[in-house]
Structures are given as structure tokens and as C-alpha cells.
Amino acid sequence: MSFTLAIVGRPNVGKSTLFNRLVGKRLALVDDQPGVTRDLREGDARLADLRFTVIDTAGLEEVTDDSLQGRMRRLTERAVDMADICLFMVDARVGITPSDLVFADILRKRADHVILAANKAEGAAADAGVIEAYSLGLGEPIRLSAEHGEGLNDLYTHLMPLADAYADRAVADTPETDVTLDEDDGDMDAAIPMPTVNKPLQVAVVGRPNAGKSTLINQILGEDRLLTGPEAGITRDAISLRTEWAGPDGTTLPMRIFDTAGMRKKAKVQEKLEKLSVGDGLRAVKFAEVVVVLLDAATPFEQQDLRIADLAEREGRAVVVAVNKWDIEDNKQAKLKDLRESFERLLPQLRGAPLVTVSARTGRGLDRLHGAILRAYETWNRRVTTAQLNRWLSGMVEAHPPPAPQGKRIKLRYMTQAKTRPPGFVVMCSHPDKVPESYSRYLVNGLRLDFEMPGTPIRLWMRGQNEANPYKGRKKAPPSKLRKHTDGRRRD
């Protein structure tokens, strides 16, 4: 990416709509009500032959206090300082407001390059607003319609001369990421694809509102990148961020981490915007490799926490359960014992999954979380050879033979691993439809215990073998017209 473009402006001028158009996907939530976007969202943008990073920001408002809007404004001002170019967007149909004048003055002082865009400029009704935009003193405004894709050629014309200068800088600063690994390297486990800069580990942090998801991710990143506060439900978009998380041993873990909106009970989700936010979070779970279910130490394992953990298991993701706000817990030993007992009892499908205690506010426990995520990922990628599986299956059947429903004996003949991520196994047997669920659970629990796959989802399929007569379907030889007598003579 040659440069970074930040889209800034008042709430509801169409910043997220333009962001979605530049990245070519509906990444940012869009709604008619103002103030939908709260966090900074980055995306890989494409405009003709230009490739750059675009940042969608929260709407600028005239507040300077520590309110939610004030924190949103400070985050947007930080994006202005980060970006190479700022696209200042105004609403051509509303015209220039006093807030636009204030923010134009801020951008003149803080930004190196500012491009002015008058959005919603389709039709004659916007002519007056476009002309009025000249009064901001930021040059000729680009006439845009983010909704309909009009004016992008003019935006390209403005970006092109700036992009050439940043392209040279990008070539000099680009790190080496395409590294070929030696197949004979004894330190690498060929069966487990370890995360790289090109293919980072995908981690989603999910949980109820106000569990501390954004605070935890800020602590991992080492900077206040996400909007946080005491109010529940601040995060709306599922924000993805790239980082290299340093572990306790000094090694770094290339990672793309998703911050998701808090998920409440379905009956309580009434507003359209919250439905969009929760849907965005569910998509993040489907794209993740490891899901961190974040609980509040004060009220752990509530019904919604169990639903979220079960969702991650049903999607086949590696799961880590993290209990936040551990720094304000008084009786830690007794609380931890209760947590482990509740985990075993309420989430038997994730028995053995890592359970770690953290404090997102102070950063305590992040080293344990780093190790738990790596262990869960390695288990999720575990592969067992067919020879090991079949020796194991013989022992399991000998210890506890399958039942004979309706007098039909079930023979388990052969077992192999069909997939990883999560581990999936196929057992070839007679009468697969007659194998009871309890016996499948017996085999799955044995796999977890004997092949060290605690906590990861395991899929087990029973398949029938074709036992048809091998001579069935062959043409019979025509009967001979001459028959032999027992004395050897022939007769017609």
C-alpha cells in the first residue's frame, strides 16, 4: 500500500458509504441515523490502478470533554495525524455548517494534504452546496456521490500526483515478508501451518456488552486504538486490526484480531442498528480461527455467555475462555475453583479448553492468554496418522464394544482422519445409522484424552462400507449345449 487516506467529516455525510465503495465490500455499517461509526476501521482500497489504505472515522462533533462523543473525536483526530492524506467530506445538500468551518480550520493545521469532497452531489439540488464549499478555503471541491459511485474519476485525478511520491517511500519501507522455509528444518512442524505476516492468525474476541473486549485489544496492541469507556455497547462494527503480539519468550505472533460488538439476548435486540452490529460479530466468528470468549469475572457463565461459546464450537473454531476484570476480584483462589467447576459442568462440549484469567485494564495475564491462544490453534490443527487411529480404535472397541440394536451387530472396521481445522474423523462401519449418539461421544471423548486434543471441536462421521457381492452385475456365461455324462460320453 503506497499511502493512507482518512475520510473525515461531520456525522452522516456518507463517509462509511464511500469507504465501502473504495474497499469493494460492505465492511462498515451504514444507516440513516447519524453517529453509526464509532471506531476507526481500516481497509485495503482500490481506485483504478491505485492501491492504498483507507480509514473510516467517526463523525467529528464540537465536543472537547470526556464524553463518548469527545472520545470519538479524539480518536478521529488521531486518524488525521496517522494518515498521509485527509479527504474532508461535506454534505452538498445541507450546505456548509458552522461545524464544517471549525473542522476545516483544524485540518489546515494538522493534516499535510487535504482534499475537499462535496458528497450527495447528484442532481441540481446540490449545486448551491457545492458552490458554498469553496468558502472553506480548501480548494476546489470534488463533486461526489458515494451512494451511486459518481465523481470517483475526479478523486483519482487528485490522488494520482500525491500517490507517486508516497509509492517511492513505500518501496523503501516495505519489510521482507515472503520468506521460504526449508522443508528439512527440524524445528518446524510440517503438519501445523504456523501464522506468518502474509497469513496471520485470525482471532475474534466475543462476549456480552461491557465485558472489556475493546480494552483487552488495546492492551494487546499497546495503544488506545479502539474506543472504550464505561458505557455498554460502544463498539458497533467488527473491527479487524493487524499486529505482531510479542510473547513471554520474545517470539512474535502475527495476528489479525477482530473486536466485535457485545452480543445480548436475541429478545433484547430490538434496534435495527444493534441487529446489524451483532450480525457483523457473527461473521467475524465464522472467519476466525481462534475465538476468545471474554467473560466478566463478576457475572461469569451467564446464559448468553454459554450461547456465545456454543456458537463458536458449532462453527468449528478453536475456543479460549478468558475471564476479565480479575484485578478487582478479592478471593481469587476460591473464585478460580468455582470457575473451573462451572466450566466443566456448563460447557461439556468444550471440556479441556484453555481457561485463563486476565485484567484488560492492567495487562495482567496477557502472557497466559498468548500461550493459550497458541495451544488452542495447534490443537485445532492436530493430525493423527491412520495407523495410530486404527490401533487406538481396536483398543476402544475391545474395552467397550458397540451395542447391537435390534440384534444387528455393529462392526467398526476402519478409521482415518479426513480433515483438520477442526479435526474430523471418519469411521467405516456396518449399519452406520444404528450407531447410537452415546457411542459416538465415547469415541470423541477418547480421542480428546488419548491424542491430547482438549477443548477443540471434534467432528466424527460414521460411514457404511459397500459389502455387495463382487460378482454382482457380471454377465453369466451361456450354458453349454453339450452335457457330459458321468461315463464321459456326450449327447445332444
Side-chain angles (χ1 to χ4, degrees), residues 224-236:
D224 291 336
R225 178 64 176 75
L226 297 169
L227 190 64
T228 61
E231 304 91 346
I234 289 178
T235 303
R236 285 174 170 169

Side-chain angles (χ1 to χ4, degrees), residues 72-124:
M72 288 163 61
R73 172 173 170 165
R74 286 198 294 274
L75 206 58
T76 297
E77 289 173 347
R78 184 170 173 276
V80 171
D81 296 336
M82 287 167 48
D84 299 313
I85 305 168
C86 286
L87 181 67
F88 182 40
M89 189 177 282
V90 298
D91 190 332
R93 293 183 179 272
V94 174
I96 301 304
T97 66
S99 296
D100 289 325
L101 294 170
V102 172
F103 299 136
D105 189 50
I106 292 173
L107 289 174
R108 268 194 295 270
K109 295 174 182 176
R110 300 184 74 138
D112 294 332
H113 301 285
V114 181
I115 298 173
L116 179 61
N119 193 33
K120 307 180 186 179
E122 65 276 13

Side-chain angles (χ1 to χ4, degrees), residues 337-381:
K337 183 180 178 183
D338 291 342
L339 284 172
R340 295 191 187 283
E341 289 176 355
S342 299
F343 186 25
E344 293 285 324
R345 177 170 46 87
L346 298 172
L347 288 169
Q349 68 273 37
L350 290 172
R351 184 176 289 113
L355 174 70
V356 294
T357 55
V358 298
S359 171
R361 188 174 62 84
T362 65
R364 294 286 297 274
L366 289 192
D367 289 347
R368 292 195 300 272
L369 181 61
H370 183 282
I373 288 173
L374 267 181
R375 286 198 308 275
Y377 175 75
E378 289 170 0
T379 305
W380 193 59
N381 283 276

Side-chain angles (χ1 to χ4, degrees), residues 26-239:
R26 292 179 61 85
L27 290 181
L29 297 184
V30 176
D31 197 60
D32 291 336
Q33 62 175 291
V36 171
T37 302
R38 288 175 172 172
D39 282 298
L40 304 184
R41 175 186 279 276
E42 294 183 10
D44 296 336
R46 176 176 181 173
L47 185 60
D49 59 342
L50 293 181
R51 304 291 183 274
F52 55 94
T53 300
V54 62
I55 303 175
D56 185 22
T57 66
L60 283 163
E61 297 189 54
E62 290 188 79
V63 285
T64 55
D65 56 13
D66 203 40
S67 65
L68 178 60
Q69 288 75 20
R71 299 197 301 274
M72 288 163 61
R73 172 173 170 165
R74 286 198 294 274
L75 206 58
T76 297
E77 289 173 347
R78 184 170 173 276
V80 171
D81 296 336
M82 287 167 48
D84 299 313
I85 305 168
C86 286
L87 181 67
F88 182 40
M89 189 177 282
V90 298
D91 190 332
R93 293 183 179 272
V94 174
I96 301 304
T97 66
S99 296
D100 289 325
L101 294 170
V102 172
F103 299 136
D105 189 50
I106 292 173
L107 289 174
R108 268 194 295 270
K109 295 174 182 176
R110 300 184 74 138
D112 294 332
H113 301 285
V114 181
I115 298 173
L116 179 61
N119 193 33
K120 307 180 186 179
E122 65 276 13
D127 290 348
V130 173
I131 294 170
E132 194 180 354
Y134 282 91
S135 65
L136 294 173
L138 294 173
E140 181 181 357
I142 300 172
R143 191 166 184 147
L144 272 183
S145 173
E147 182 71 29
H148 301 102
E150 297 175 9
L152 295 181
N153 288 337
D154 295 333
L155 177 60
Y156 174 84
T157 303
H158 281 72
L159 290 176
M160 192 62 199
L162 297 172
D164 291 337
Y166 287 115
D168 297 334
R169 184 196 67 179
V171 170
D173 295 346
T174 300
E176 184 183 2
T177 57
D178 189 9
V179 180
T180 303
L181 295 174
D182 186 0
E183 291 182 2
D184 297 329
D185 189 352
D187 295 333
M188 296 296 294
D189 187 351
I192 300 177
M194 296 307 293
T196 64
V197 175
N198 282 341
K199 290 188 177 180
L201 178 64
Q202 312 270 357
V203 179
V205 182
V206 298
R208 287 182 288 124
N210 215 25
K213 298 180 291 297
S214 299
T215 307
L216 176 67
I217 294 173
N218 280 343
Q219 192 68 245
I220 291 171
L221 298 175
E223 57 179 333
D224 291 336
R225 178 64 176 75
L226 297 169
L227 190 64
T228 61
E231 304 91 346
I234 289 178
T235 303
R236 285 174 170 169
D237 293 276
I239 306 295

Side-chain angles (χ1 to χ4, degrees), residues 216 245 292-298 300-301 320-329 331-340 343 353-372 375:
L216 176 67
W245 188 6
V292 177
V293 181
L294 195 64
L295 311 181
D296 189 328
F301 294 113
V320 174
V321 178
V323 183
N324 191 24
K325 306 180 184 178
W326 197 245
D327 54 316
I328 59 175
E329 189 61 43
N331 194 351
K332 291 182 170 57
Q333 292 297 327
K335 184 73 172 183
L336 185 59
K337 183 180 178 183
D338 291 342
L339 284 172
R340 295 191 187 283
F343 186 25
L355 174 70
V356 294
T357 55
V358 298
S359 171
R361 188 174 62 84
T362 65
R364 294 286 297 274
L366 289 192
D367 289 347
R368 292 195 300 272
L369 181 61
H370 183 282
R375 286 198 308 275

